[in-house]
Amino acid sequence: MVDLKIIEVKSEIGAGTRGASLGVDAIKIAAHDFASKFFFKCDSVEVETENHLLYEPIRNPFARHIEGVHRVLSRVADTVTATIKDNKFPIVLAGDHSTAAGTIAGLKQAYPDKRLGIIWVDAHADLHSPFTTPSGNMHGMPLAMVLGEDNQEMRCNIPDDNTVNLWEKCKALTGKHGFVSHEDIVFIAVRDVEQQEITLMRKYKMRNFSVADVRKRGVEKVASEALTHLDKCDIIYVSFDVDSMDPKISSGTGTPVPNGINEREAGKLLQNLVSSPKVVCFEMVEVNPTLDKENLMAENAFEILVKVYNQIEND
Ligand SMILES: [Mn+2]
């Protein structure tokens, strides 16, 4: 039996739409409505957020609230490291996806000599930097951060010195332990990308298993191929953005994109992925109940969470 611990990060300063900080509680309400004792039996810890910054003026338009994002990431990293040192398997439930860069920094800190692979299940590639972002929202940047990737080649913004310094600090959270390699990232269900991201994905031949791949070949095959792609990695982190799923299932996420996977495919896919003994951490993000009807996204997210949790616990 694996000992798991839930790390709650109710942060939403990286998102462009308000409400993702309520995602974790919405998942707990779903559990309650299903009469589940899941959150009673789980060990958990909550990371302090910086959501008060939402009410302050934007100082860094190409990396909004970056000062706060850096503080949250640093806390998430330390919490993930401490959880692993305590021999527990971290499951991160977070608001916006920027937190994933903190999770990855924590994994690098806990396993400095291991090669880390990442499976990114998302509608977006989250490969922007302050130099390329169209929105300034930092939930579109976590993978660039852990790659140490500015993508200057495709630069279209001129961030000020303060932004660049803070961006360097964000990158250094992972970088001081060694950046992740482009070839060690696999995408699943990514279908809404900007030219700057496409350029990076092509340049480094980053693998994306499309929704059509999932449909045609089935989740088992895609999961096993994604894991095989990361054969050279010693450990693997699985990051699940609920916007990988189709908006017809629920509109309860900040940046919905049509033609996603359905909730059964997501559950089965993630179950297959985390059954690999190399997987050392799982994260679920971007549930936003303020955009939802009847808390549907959180209900789906909760059912997927239970599947993943049981799979890891019984492996
Ligand atoms: Mn994302």
Side-chain angles (χ1 to χ4, degrees), residues 107-145:
L107 293 172
K108 294 291 289 186
Q109 192 165 278
Y111 301 103
D113 304 321
K114 305 264 192 207
R115 182 164 166 181
L116 173 67
I118 298 172
I119 301 180
W120 200 259
V121 186
D122 199 322
H124 310 90
D126 296 347
L127 279 168
H128 277 293
S129 77
F131 302 96
T132 68
T133 174
S135 67
N137 299 326
M138 294 202 72
H139 67 168
M141 307 186 193
L143 284 179
M145 256 183 242

Side-chain angles (χ1 to χ4, degrees), residues 1-4 87-89 309 311-315:
M1 278 265 280
V2 178
D3 215 357
L4 294 91
N87 283 319
K88 294 195 169 148
F89 186 109
Y309 191 99
Q311 184 72 49
I312 295 165
E313 188 173 47
N314 297 315
D315 266 343

Side-chain angles (χ1 to χ4, degrees), residues 6-10 25 28 44-49 79:
I6 292 186
I7 300 175
E8 300 175 12
V9 194
K10 299 173 185 175
D25 288 320
K28 289 185 180 176
S44 71
V45 60
E46 190 170 340
V47 173
E48 190 194 342
T49 70
T79 310

Side-chain angles (χ1 to χ4, degrees), residues 80-309:
V80 166
T81 307
T83 303
I84 290 164
K85 294 257 144 75
D86 206 18
N87 283 319
K88 294 195 169 148
F89 186 109
I91 291 197
V92 184
L93 293 184
D96 81 73
H97 213 170
S98 66
T99 54
T103 306
I104 293 162
L107 293 172
K108 294 291 289 186
Q109 192 165 278
Y111 301 103
D113 304 321
K114 305 264 192 207
R115 182 164 166 181
L116 173 67
I118 298 172
I119 301 180
W120 200 259
V121 186
D122 199 322
H124 310 90
D126 296 347
L127 279 168
H128 277 293
S129 77
F131 302 96
T132 68
T133 174
S135 67
N137 299 326
M138 294 202 72
H139 67 168
M141 307 186 193
L143 284 179
M145 256 183 242
V146 303
L147 289 165
E149 177 66 74
D150 294 346
N151 199 5
Q152 292 285 358
E153 214 176 300
M154 294 297 288
R155 171 184 192 134
C156 51
N157 304 324
I158 307 174
D160 64 12
D161 289 349
N162 176 256
T163 305
V164 174
N165 289 339
L166 287 162
W167 173 246
E168 290 300 324
K169 278 176 78 178
C170 287
K171 288 194 295 181
L173 291 171
T174 300
K176 64 184 170 188
H177 311 287
F179 286 117
V180 174
S181 303
H182 294 77
E183 62 192 292
D184 294 340
I185 296 178
V186 176
F187 295 106
I188 301 178
V190 169
R191 58 194 181 279
D192 183 16
V193 280
E194 272 83 39
Q195 194 52 52
Q196 296 93 330
E197 296 175 298
I198 294 171
T199 303
L200 276 183
M201 290 167 82
R202 290 215 179 116
K203 180 174 169 191
Y204 294 102
K205 299 188 176 66
M206 298 172 85
R207 186 81 166 91
N208 176 35
F209 293 90
S210 67
V211 175
D213 288 331
V214 174
R215 291 279 147 74
K216 245 184 286 164
R217 285 146 62 204
V219 284
E220 285 90 354
K221 197 88 203 291
V222 165
S224 86
E225 281 182 35
L227 291 165
T228 307
H229 191 86
L230 300 177
D231 241 356
K232 294 198 189 100
C233 297
D234 308 306
I235 53 170
I236 293 173
Y237 157 66
V238 178
S239 209
F240 175 56
D241 188 324
V242 297
D243 71 22
S244 56
M245 293 193 288
D246 197 276
K248 281 190 201 121
I249 294 158
S250 156
S251 56
T253 190
T255 48
V257 184
N259 303 317
I261 54 176
N262 68 38
E263 73 282 16
R264 289 178 308 280
E265 289 165 330
K268 194 89 195 121
L269 173 73
L270 295 166
Q271 239 181 326
N272 273 268
L273 290 174
V274 301
S275 69
S276 161
K278 283 190 182 178
V279 173
V280 293
C281 181
F282 172 77
E283 181 154 1
M284 184 188 280
V285 300
E286 300 281 0
V287 172
N288 186 334
T290 68
L291 304 170
D292 210 351
K293 282 195 222 85
E294 311 277 344
N295 209 23
L296 266 177
M297 184 63 94
E299 291 188 357
N300 283 301
F302 175 67
E303 288 185 317
I304 292 167
L305 173 66
V306 171
K307 281 184 191 167
V308 167
Y309 191 99

Side-chain angles (χ1 to χ4, degrees), residues 50-69:
E50 296 285 331
N51 291 334
H52 60 91
L53 291 174
L54 293 168
Y55 305 100
E56 290 179 21
I58 302 288
R59 279 193 293 265
N60 308 91
F62 298 121
R64 297 159 75 100
H65 310 302
I66 186 168
E67 232 177 304
V69 169

